[in-house]
Structure formats: C-alpha cells, structure tokens
Amino acid sequence: MKLSRQLPLNALRVFEAVARCGSFTKAGAELGMTQTAVSYQIKLLEDHLERAVFVREARGISLTATGELLIPKVTDAFSMLSEAIADAKHEAEGVLEIRSTPTFASHWLARHIGSFQLSHPGLAVRIMRAEKPVDFRTDNADVFIWRGDIPPADAEALELFRIHFAPMLSPRLAESIGGLQNPSDLLRLPLIIGGGTWWQAWFRKVGVENPETNMTTIDTFGALDLEGNAAIAGNGVALLSPFFHREELDAGRLIAPFDTYMLDNLKYWLIYPKNRRRLAKIQAFREWLPKKLANDLRLLPQELSPNASILPPENCAP
C-alpha cells in the first residue's frame, strides 16, 4: 500500500496547526482553509485512528490522551520535512540570512563576521538590519539577533549577554568647558536624549539628585549607532556601551570620563525557528556566536560587573 494511503498527511498537517493554534478557526486562517474544511480533515484523522484527538468544549478545544500522544511526533515529523525541503532547495548550505538590531549589526557583527566566513567558506552570509521582530513564517531570515526581555515562545532562543552604559563624548567637547572633574559637569553640555529616564537613573547613581537635563541635541529613539556618531561629531554626550564603541574609545574619538556604568534592563538573544534548528548553517552560527562574543566581553573593563545597577525600561533599539 502506498504511504499516502497509509498516512492521512493532509489531515495530520491540519491536526498540527489546530493543536498549535488552539482553535479550528485560527488554524483555518493560517492554512487558508474554511473552518468546515478543517473540521472535515480532523474527522478524517479521527476515523483513521478510530478515536478522537480533540475534546470539543463550550470554551474551546483540548487534546485527548490520543492527541497528546500524537502531537510531539507529528510536530517533529513536519519539522524534519521542512528541513528536507530546505536542503533540497540548496538553502541549507547556500546563504545564511542574519537579521539583527541595527547597532549590533553595524558595530559588532559586521566587524567580526569575517572569522565565521573563513571557517565556513562554502556559506555566504547576508546581514540585514531589523528594528522590528522577525516573523519566521513570512520572512526569509535564518536567525535573528534580538534585544528584549522574554524571547518569543514559538522560536528557539539562546541568551547572549547584556550591555553596560556610561556617558561618552568627544575629547573636544569636554575641552570646551575646561574638562570634566565631576559628573555634574556633564549638565553643562548638551545631552543626547537628555529627557530620557536612563540619564536620570545614571545621575542618581552618581549622587546627582534632580538633575536639570533639559539641554538636548537630538533624540534617536535609542539607536546607539546614531547616538555614537552624534557624540563623535561633538554634538553632545551620549550614554553608550564600551562593548559597541571600544574601537572609538581606543582611537580617542570618544572618551568615557566616569567609570560608573549602568546595566541594560534587556538582554540580547539569538533567535531561530524551531523547525530549522537542525540545519547545519544555523548550528554553525549558534556555535560560533557565543564563543566570539565571550572573547570580546572579556576585554571590557573590570567595572562592568553583573552587579551594576540596572537601567530602567526605555524605548530603544540598540
């Protein structure tokens, strides 16, 4: 007997979608099917098994014991099929598409991705800046480097690190007021995002209560690469991370006059779709990224300890 007759593949596909969505209607919308067609496919599956897979209740549906037994293996099976199709299209080893928050893409990933490519010469890398979360169902991205609190439940996630912030500015701007002796001296200069809560938190940490931070140049909505460029140009003082601006600090284009750091309240994560987690290119990047990050994190000043004060939430996209 042919496999297609042994296994109701379409019904299993619908069953997986209903179990994941928790609704016949939502599954139908995802699959482009009517609720009646979804119900029909579930009935075909139940007829094939000679037992129910869902309990229909007034408030919704739930899996029966048979459904609970079936769903993990069905999910894994469709994941393996997706990976097989990707391999057949030469997507598995051809191009690794990385989406990343803008500053991480420009100030770290673009500077270090060469070592990954040297280790994987047969794999092309495409880096794209992304300010909004990636939807792996509709986007072509393989992985997403994302900054947030809790990673999406429908994706695999690897916690990477959190960054520290301190005031940074151009040496010329500091000299314009005869240098900086105390943190309160910064109030004599334009503060980039001067009205932000992060500046308030940093000043409180160094003992400056109720600082007058109304003198502001630009508001970049937390884009650290733009803030860094503005600070280098002498347009103001920015709260920046030595992780992203180590080269500028080493070259003297920026200075960090005070070694009081604040810890970001959000974390960086490596996110990738569950159904593609076994792809060789994703596994290779997942192995390389934390090792490469660890080397750079060890180079940061000793003051950057996990016990640093945590910055309050702020709308930003590092």
Side-chain angles (χ1 to χ4, degrees):
M1 185 179 294
K2 293 183 178 180
L3 180 62
S4 60
R5 294 182 180 177
Q6 291 176 325
L7 295 175
L9 293 176
N10 195 42
L12 286 169
R13 179 174 68 97
V14 174
F15 164 70
E16 186 277 333
V18 173
R20 175 165 43 80
C21 296
S23 163
F24 280 46
T25 303
K26 292 179 180 178
E30 178 180 301
L31 298 171
M33 302 170 62
T34 65
Q35 184 175 349
T36 300
V38 170
S39 298
Y40 176 73
Q41 290 297 326
I42 295 301
K43 185 178 184 304
L44 287 180
L45 178 60
E46 292 179 330
D47 289 346
H48 182 83
L49 296 171
E50 298 182 349
R51 60 196 68 192
V53 293
F54 290 109
V55 177
R56 282 76 166 176
E57 301 170 332
R59 296 184 177 179
I61 60 172
S62 61
L63 289 165
T64 64
T66 299
E68 293 281 5
L69 181 67
L70 194 61
I71 190 60
K73 293 183 179 180
V74 169
T75 300
D76 286 345
F78 278 109
S79 294
M80 292 177 67
L81 285 172
S82 296
E83 293 169 16
I85 293 297
D87 285 336
K89 290 182 176 180
H90 303 288
E91 293 177 354
E93 294 299 333
V95 177
L96 176 69
E97 184 168 311
I98 305 170
R99 304 286 178 92
S100 170
T101 54
T103 302
F104 189 91
S106 63
H107 280 57
W108 192 89
L109 187 58
R111 297 174 178 178
H112 295 85
I113 196 64
S115 67
F116 176 77
Q117 292 180 291
L118 287 175
S119 301
H120 303 84
L123 182 62
V125 175
R126 180 184 299 127
I127 300 175
M128 300 180 67
R129 294 158 60 102
E131 296 183 359
K132 297 180 179 180
V134 168
D135 186 345
F136 289 113
R137 294 173 300 177
T138 57
D139 293 326
N140 293 324
D142 293 302
V143 298
F144 180 33
I145 298 167
W146 177 74
R147 174 181 172 270
D149 185 10
I150 301 174
D154 59 349
E156 294 281 329
L158 174 66
E159 182 180 334
L160 298 173
F161 66 103
R162 288 198 287 182
I163 54 177
H164 297 71
F165 294 86
M168 297 184 193
L169 69 161
S170 71
R172 185 171 56 183
L173 183 61
E175 292 169 2
S176 70
I177 60 169
L180 299 167
Q181 305 300 322
N182 301 297
S184 59
D185 292 337
L186 292 174
L187 297 172
R188 299 163 57 193
L189 297 170
L191 302 182
I192 297 173
I193 329 182
T197 57
W198 285 10
W199 271 115
Q200 300 287 340
W202 187 85
F203 277 117
R204 284 196 301 269
K205 183 174 175 62
V206 295
V208 179
E209 297 294 335
N210 301 316
E212 293 291 336
T213 59
N214 296 323
M215 192 175 177
T216 309
T217 53
I218 58 174
D219 188 340
T220 65
F221 295 96
L224 294 183
D225 53 347
L226 298 181
E227 292 175 27
N229 289 338
I232 291 170
N235 293 325
V237 188
L239 278 171
L240 301 173
S241 171
F243 176 80
F244 287 132
H245 292 91
R246 174 54 54 201
E247 291 186 12
E248 290 79 2
L249 290 167
D250 290 344
R253 294 191 295 272
L254 285 174
I255 60 171
F258 306 107
D259 59 0
T260 299
Y261 294 88
M262 300 290 287
L263 183 64
D264 189 6
N265 60 297
L266 302 179
K267 304 172 184 177
Y268 278 84
W269 304 81
L270 175 64
I271 311 293
Y272 47 94
K274 291 182 177 180
N275 65 352
R276 306 194 73 195
R277 64 186 182 276
R278 297 187 183 92
L279 289 181
K281 61 180 179 179
I282 291 179
Q283 290 185 349
F285 189 72
R286 186 189 186 282
E287 180 179 352
W288 171 83
L289 182 60
K291 290 181 180 179
K292 189 65 177 177
L293 282 169
N295 290 334
D296 277 16
L297 292 170
R298 280 196 292 268
L299 297 176
L300 294 177
Q302 293 300 313
E303 292 86 351
L304 306 190
S305 68
N307 296 321
S309 299
I310 298 178
L311 286 162
E314 183 105 338
N315 292 326
C316 60

